[in-house]
Amino acid sequence: MGSKYTRGCCGWLIVALIAALVATAAMFAIMKRKPGGGSRHLKPLPVPGPPGAIDSKYGDALGVALQFFQVQKSGKLENNQIPWRGDSAVTDGKEAGLDLSKGMYDAGDHIKFTFPMAFTATVLSWSVLEYGDQMSAAKQLDPALDALKWITDFLIAAHPSDNVLYIQVGDPDLDHNCWERPETMTEKRPLTQINKKSPGSDVAAEAAAAMAAASIVFKSTDTKYSDVLLQHAQKLFTFADTYRGLSSESYPKLQDFYNSTDYVDELLWAASWLYHATGDQTYLSYVTVQNGQTFANWGKPTWFSWDDKNPGTQVLLSRLNFFGSKQISNAENEGLKSYRDTAEAVICGLIPDSPQATASRTGGGLIWISGWNSLQHATNAAFLATVYSDYMLSSRTAAVQCSGKYYSPTDIRNFAASQANYILGDNPMKLSYLVGYGSTYPQQVHHRGASIPADAKTGCKGFQYLHSSDPNPNIAMGALVGGPFQNDTFVDLRDNAVQTESSTYNSGTLVGLLSGLVTTSSVVQSFT
């Protein structure tokens, strides 16, 4: 009896000891997987192969988001899929002997601003270049290419000579004095151009970035069109760099709408895209050796937006540091390392439990920087985080270090997914901020065309539809509205443009974000 008990007791002690060891090992493994878990020896994750299974949530949302570009189109529509939209602004540019009818309205009004429109094209191109295979797997590549070309067709037409670019179609004062459908506009639509005497390096360089990036997108399917885009991009960059100045200084009225705070970020952004498009070392030297120290604000993370391209440039150029190139000199590599270090500082500011995490968030976890169009910065930041995490995965980079803590590509991707999920309804309001997605989304988007019945005869003064308490008669499919206040609340009123107005440039990065999350695959090491 005694010996039996002793053997049983020893057996249980052995079992308990093994269980304790297993539990300890499991806890250590969990600590390693937990964001910032303290291990500097995280193992690189496997490199993804071709696109895997489609996440239906993000796939459905991507299909909805892309429809907003159809809603925003100007000109004579082709294969129109939006029943309440029709041809509009078909004579834009006629006074200058140009066809500026294409392009897109920037938001809920009917002005065409080249600056945010070009930014939309740049980030759309970037999205296709990084995630075109994933878009294709989700059957959404063709709508993205269609939207992109509608903008680049406008940009080509808006650049009739080397040192002239049309940067605005329409008069904001006249436009904002009306509430009407674009199809019935009768107001004058004057043109605004930048040139040698009235420069606008910010807009010219952004247009150069857009056309350089788009030239890579179309290179494999339409070589002639790609070549035309690249020629325009190179000439516009030379124009922007030679005749320096802000468009809002040449035309002070622009300060009320798209008041760019600088132009050197656009010069770096454009040169970065031109390097990717051409492989010309001159452009790489421009952003590293020649102007990196002066223009790039290395070590000072900021927020990616239509105004500030620095974070985008930092992430874009970090791919050269991740994947390398034999043609890059030591001095250029030093500059690229500084871009990557700053990109990592951006990423460290986004991960919620990082020691460097920004406190600029809502209680629901959304990055929140500004009350007007609050979703802009969250969407842009999440897009950059997705791209950066995929660079890490594809280069077998195990982790980023944030003040002594280590974070894996999965941790970074989880942050990006949290922002996307918030947008799609996982928020305190239980509201999808993407119009047309889910069962509950804003009904009073601040959008002229959506708010007025298609058969209404309003003339210029259809303001009864702006102030109506009824839901919009037309759904602005894919519109990403401005977003919540910092306390996670949202007031769905058409008069509340701060929260309910949407914009094409928000949609550009949203498409990139959703395309990155819809499935996983390895990113290409070179765009060309």
Side-chain angles (χ1 to χ4, degrees):
M1 184 87 170
S3 61
K4 208 170 159 186
Y5 175 82
T6 303
R7 285 196 302 271
C9 182
C10 290
W12 281 111
L13 281 172
I14 292 169
V15 169
L17 179 60
I18 292 171
L21 289 170
V22 169
T24 302
M27 286 179 63
F28 180 70
I30 290 169
M31 184 185 75
K32 283 181 71 176
R33 288 197 302 270
K34 184 181 177 182
S39 172
R40 69 177 62 200
H41 302 297
L42 291 172
K43 292 182 179 180
L45 296 171
V47 177
I54 299 298
D55 185 311
S56 60
K57 175 175 68 175
Y58 299 128
D60 292 347
L62 177 59
V64 172
L66 280 163
Q67 292 183 59
F68 190 59
F69 297 118
Q70 304 299 319
V71 170
Q72 295 302 96
K73 280 184 174 181
S74 165
K76 186 172 179 57
L77 303 184
E78 302 166 7
N79 302 315
N80 179 28
Q81 302 297 309
I82 308 298
W84 50 272
R85 279 302 325 274
D87 299 345
S88 64
V90 293
T91 61
D92 278 0
K94 187 176 180 180
E95 67 185 72
L98 302 172
D99 180 3
L100 299 178
S101 60
K102 283 189 174 181
M104 295 185 188
Y105 306 118
D106 73 308
D109 51 20
H110 303 142
I111 303 299
K112 289 189 287 198
F113 292 101
T114 301
F115 194 30
M117 195 194 311
F119 176 66
T120 303
T122 311
V123 294
L124 260 182
S125 295
W126 194 5
S127 302
V128 172
L129 291 169
E130 300 289 4
Y131 301 120
D133 57 344
Q134 301 187 179
M135 290 180 177
S136 182
K139 297 180 172 53
Q140 298 300 333
L141 179 58
D142 287 343
L145 295 176
D146 174 81
L148 175 59
K149 191 172 184 296
W150 201 263
I151 296 175
T152 54
D153 283 353
F154 171 87
L155 294 176
I156 290 171
H159 183 224
S161 60
D162 290 1
N163 299 317
V164 171
L165 177 69
Y166 285 89
I167 64 168
Q168 183 178 301
V169 182
D171 181 331
D173 292 334
L174 288 175
D175 184 84
H176 288 183
N177 195 42
C178 294
W179 192 268
E180 60 190 334
R181 300 177 66 245
E183 293 81 0
T184 62
M185 289 188 296
T186 59
E187 297 75 45
K188 291 181 179 179
R189 291 178 62 78
L191 307 176
T192 304
Q193 66 165 245
I194 52 174
N195 49 49
K196 293 180 183 180
K197 293 183 178 180
S198 300
S201 299
D202 46 351
V203 189
E206 183 59 61
M211 291 203 266
S215 76
I216 313 172
V217 171
F218 291 111
K219 190 172 185 178
S220 62
T221 57
D222 192 338
T223 304
K224 184 178 179 181
Y225 189 69
S226 171
D227 289 344
V228 169
L229 287 169
L230 185 55
Q231 290 167 19
H232 279 279
Q234 291 172 311
K235 291 175 180 177
L236 277 167
F237 178 75
T238 300
F239 169 44
D241 194 35
T242 305
Y243 301 97
R244 293 185 179 181
L246 280 170
S247 57
S248 57
E249 291 179 352
S250 294
Y251 297 99
K253 275 194 171 185
L254 286 173
Q255 295 173 18
D256 295 331
F257 302 97
Y258 292 98
N259 185 24
S260 180
T261 52
D262 209 338
Y263 58 76
V264 296
D265 55 318
E266 277 83 25
L267 290 173
L268 295 176
W269 176 239
S272 301
W273 279 111
L274 280 162
Y275 175 72
H276 280 289
T278 65
D280 185 338
Q281 295 296 123
T282 305
Y283 295 116
L284 184 60
S285 178
Y286 183 96
V287 300
T288 54
V289 178
Q290 294 178 39
N291 298 296
Q293 289 280 3
T294 310
F295 291 173
N297 279 329
W298 288 331
K300 298 177 181 177
T302 54
W303 296 102
F304 188 40
S305 70
W306 59 262
D307 179 28
D308 186 352
K309 312 305 169 11
N310 277 330
T313 301
Q314 289 149 10
V315 171
L316 177 65
L317 289 178
S318 71
R319 78 168 2 260
L320 299 175
N321 192 261
F322 274 112
F323 302 119
S325 172
K326 293 178 181 178
Q327 288 76 39
I328 297 176
S329 70
N330 289 336
E332 290 164 345
N333 258 324
E334 282 300 309
L336 292 175
K337 185 179 184 303
S338 295
Y339 279 107
R340 178 173 166 181
D341 289 345
T342 311
E344 292 205 355
V346 170
I347 298 302
C348 287
L350 301 177
I351 302 170
D353 69 339
S354 160
Q356 297 166 231
T358 178
S360 300
R361 302 173 199 263
T362 70
L366 182 76
I367 292 289
W368 197 96
I369 307 302
S370 169
W372 188 285
N373 192 14
S374 62
L375 286 174
Q376 172 187 193
H377 295 102
T379 308
N380 295 351
F383 169 64
L384 293 185
T386 304
V387 171
Y388 200 84
S389 70
D390 285 335
Y391 291 171
M392 292 175 64
L393 271 177
S394 296
S395 64
R396 303 212 72 213
T397 302
V400 296
Q401 181 186 170
C402 304
S403 298
K405 289 193 173 184
Y406 293 80
Y407 299 89
S408 71
T410 303
D411 299 326
I412 300 168
R413 187 180 178 90
N414 286 344
F415 158 75
S418 74
Q419 304 301 286
N421 294 341
Y422 187 108
I423 289 168
L424 299 180
D426 185 10
N427 56 63
M429 295 290 291
K430 304 301 179 187
L431 177 73
S432 165
Y433 290 107
L434 178 63
V435 175
Y437 178 83
S439 58
T440 308
Y441 49 81
Q443 300 296 305
Q444 292 199 30
V445 181
H446 182 92
H447 189 281
R448 287 160 172 76
S451 69
I452 302 173
D455 59 353
K457 308 295 183 185
T458 63
C460 167
K461 301 295 183 181
F463 285 99
Q464 69 269 30
Y465 294 105
L466 168 62
H467 305 304
S468 169
S469 60
D470 295 332
N472 285 349
N474 309 309
I475 298 175
M477 289 293 290
L480 179 63
V481 296
F485 290 131
Q486 194 166 14
N487 63 1
D488 290 302
T489 62
F490 179 82
V491 180
D492 187 10
L493 290 175
R494 205 173 294 107
D495 278 310
N496 178 23
V498 170
Q499 290 191 292
T500 62
E501 190 166 23
S502 51
S503 64
T504 51
Y505 49 89
N506 281 12
S507 295
T509 47
L510 178 64
V511 164
L513 170 60
L514 296 172
S515 298
L517 295 176
V518 73
T519 183
T520 55
S521 64
S522 56
V523 297
V524 295
Q525 295 196 8
S526 172
F527 292 144
T528 55

